[in-house]
Amino acid sequence: MVNTCGFIDAAVDESLDAIGEALEKNGRVIVTGCLGARPERILARHPRVLKVTGAHAYEDVMAAVHEHVPPRHDPFTHLVPPQGIRLTPRHYAYLKISEGCNNRCSFCIIPSMRGRLASRPIDEVLREAERLVAAGVKELLVISQDTSAYGADLRYRPGRWRDETYETRFIDLARGLGSLGAWVRLHYVYPYPHVDAVIPLMAEGRVLPYLDVPFQHGSPSVLKRMRRPAHAEDTLARIQDWREQCRELVIRSTFIVGFPGETEAEFSELLDWMDVAQLDRVGCFKYSAVEGAAANALPDHVPAPLQEERYARFMERAGAISAARLKGRVGSRMRVLVDAIDDGTAIARSAADAPEIDGVVRIAGARGLAVGDWADVRIISADAYDLSARLLH
């Protein structure tokens, strides 16, 4: 099975290449995921695939598998544990709270591929989280296409969990998850005004002081062309207010450079915005045309060499900000979660680090530590993105 992505053209090409590799090695291939919403694109290049399904089409995928490889009953392997089977390590898990998106950003085709916002009822989400924590999960990573909009499609329908009533909305979700005793990390949080209510929970230690907010740009005119939700909000003032309420708050974000029509003045606005915002974790993409996206029709597309030059300047600025902020953590004490052991060095993460996308904390001489362990450490050095620490006993 090949799980595909169709968000940008580079991802489409990578998905089609992966399908070709699978066909060459195996010959019998089922394709699923986002690109499956455009089966003609897949079949035009790989007509030999057995089946193409869209995203989250679990029943269709399994039906296709069983059609070509009929299952034989096995009472042992058919006993699925209550927490399900995950592909992540035992100590952390992704908790998907909704599917789809109601926003119409000009560079994005997610609504056409995954549909409008469809939130899971809050009692269902909280019960899943409870099962995961009971099974040994120490960190819950909340994901969706728009976490801040959670529950809007259900009109914030109430549900019962642990003899309490919770509404299907962002703040009640954070409050419920924060009672489980695990790290709770919030991803894809659009900066709507009601997000402010979660900051006190972070200051109280009930939710990790970490917000993943896809700002995408710092120029109001570019954001308007992007059709970004909440683009008119004074995000710099919001960031300052959040940090005044919770000094430990870490903010990560992603940005697009070289968006159609982006002038040097608008790009300079972005760099100035970054200097003021002082974001802890930053990723960047060069704008890429996506089939079906409204931004394709915008005038004045930025040439690839200029995109590359702006990307390099942006990442240089972001790296300098990251290095300065991490340097300020040298000497501090932290609790970290161990993800891997590499030749006697533990690779861990702090509350400031999401797996695979943020930095790490390296602990030399980590004898006795195992994957999934908590560890208390003292930070002894920093580079642009990672920290080094010694174990406290």
Side-chain angles (χ1 to χ4, degrees):
M1 284 188 291
V2 178
N3 191 21
T4 61
C5 178
F7 183 51
I8 59 176
D9 287 350
V12 170
D13 292 340
E14 185 176 346
S15 296
L16 292 173
D17 288 345
I19 295 167
E21 291 175 13
L23 284 168
E24 184 178 339
K25 292 180 180 178
N26 181 288
R28 296 196 294 174
V29 175
I30 295 169
V31 179
T32 186
C34 293
L35 189 57
R38 291 182 279 169
E40 69 285 351
R41 184 79 181 267
I42 297 168
L43 295 173
R45 181 161 164 185
H46 300 297
R48 293 192 297 124
V49 298
L50 300 177
K51 177 76 174 179
V52 178
T53 78
H56 297 282
Y58 305 115
E59 293 82 3
D60 290 345
V61 170
M62 292 312 301
V65 170
H66 293 159
E67 178 184 348
H68 297 281
V69 185
R72 289 183 293 180
H73 179 72
D74 186 326
F76 296 101
T77 60
H78 287 181
L79 294 176
V80 178
Q83 72 273 17
I85 296 175
R86 297 177 288 110
L87 301 181
T88 52
R90 186 172 183 266
H91 59 284
Y92 69 82
Y94 292 94
L95 184 65
K96 190 151 198 178
I97 62 171
S98 66
E99 185 59 77
C101 182
N102 289 346
N103 299 314
R104 291 295 182 266
C105 302
S106 64
F107 57 82
C108 181
I109 57 171
I110 284 178
S112 65
M113 299 182 74
R114 292 179 175 257
R116 291 179 61 79
L117 177 69
S119 302
R120 298 173 59 196
I122 194 164
D123 51 323
E124 177 184 311
V125 174
L126 291 175
R127 283 195 298 270
E128 180 184 351
E130 189 174 32
R131 290 193 299 269
L132 289 168
V133 173
V137 168
K138 297 178 179 179
E139 178 181 10
L140 297 167
L141 299 108
V142 177
I143 58 171
S144 68
Q145 272 81 51
D146 183 354
T147 296
S148 309
Y150 173 64
D153 57 307
L154 299 179
R155 298 185 178 182
Y156 310 113
R157 181 192 306 163
R160 297 283 292 177
W161 179 67
R162 289 187 172 182
D163 298 322
E164 283 191 59
T165 298
Y166 291 81
E167 291 188 337
T168 303
R169 65 170 68 238
F170 174 73
I171 189 62
D172 279 27
L173 175 69
R175 183 167 59 89
L177 294 176
S179 69
L180 290 172
W183 274 4
V184 177
R185 194 178 299 278
L186 301 173
H187 286 280
Y188 312 119
V189 179
Y190 284 81
Y192 305 135
H194 67 265
V195 171
D196 296 355
V198 81
I199 304 300
L201 296 181
M202 296 179 173
E204 295 166 9
R206 296 169 63 184
V207 175
L208 284 182
Y210 179 102
L211 274 180
D212 175 11
V213 185
F215 290 117
Q216 302 295 15
H217 213 279
S219 167
S221 53
V222 173
L223 290 168
K224 186 175 182 179
R225 293 199 299 276
M226 288 180 170
R227 301 180 191 168
R228 292 294 289 166
H231 75 266
E233 298 292 332
D234 188 345
T235 51
L236 290 176
R238 299 276 299 289
I239 291 169
Q240 181 180 353
D241 183 58
W242 293 344
R243 285 177 168 154
E244 287 174 357
Q245 294 182 63
C246 181
R247 294 182 60 187
E248 297 80 18
L249 179 65
V250 167
I251 303 175
R252 104 166 313 273
S253 190
T254 50
F255 294 84
I256 298 173
V257 297
F259 189 76
E262 182 189 61
T263 64
E264 183 62 30
E266 289 171 331
F267 179 69
S268 295
E269 280 185 280
L270 171 58
L271 295 183
D272 292 343
W273 189 96
M274 286 286 293
D275 285 339
V276 177
Q278 291 288 297
L279 301 186
D280 302 88
R281 304 295 194 191
V282 169
C284 183
F285 300 92
K286 290 163 284 187
Y287 171 78
S288 173
V290 181
E291 184 180 339
N296 296 345
L298 291 173
D300 302 321
H301 282 235
V302 179
L306 184 54
Q307 283 190 339
E308 191 67 44
E309 186 259 345
R310 288 179 179 170
Y311 172 83
R313 287 164 61 193
F314 178 90
M315 290 308 298
E316 181 180 11
R317 186 72 57 92
I321 292 170
S322 174
R325 294 187 71 81
L326 289 182
K327 186 177 179 180
R329 297 186 191 178
V330 174
S332 64
R333 177 173 178 156
M334 288 184 183
R335 166 155 272 214
V336 299
L337 186 57
V338 177
D339 280 342
I341 304 293
D342 182 12
D343 195 23
T345 296
I347 311 299
R349 291 179 294 108
S350 71
D353 309 306
E356 299 185 358
I357 57 174
D358 291 331
V360 298
V361 180
R362 292 186 174 85
I363 313 165
R367 183 177 299 175
L369 287 181
V371 172
D373 282 350
W374 296 110
D376 292 312
V377 300
R378 182 80 64 189
I379 304 302
I380 57 175
S381 66
D383 59 27
Y385 298 106
D386 301 319
L387 298 170
S388 296
R390 62 178 175 84
L391 191 62
L392 297 176
H393 296 284

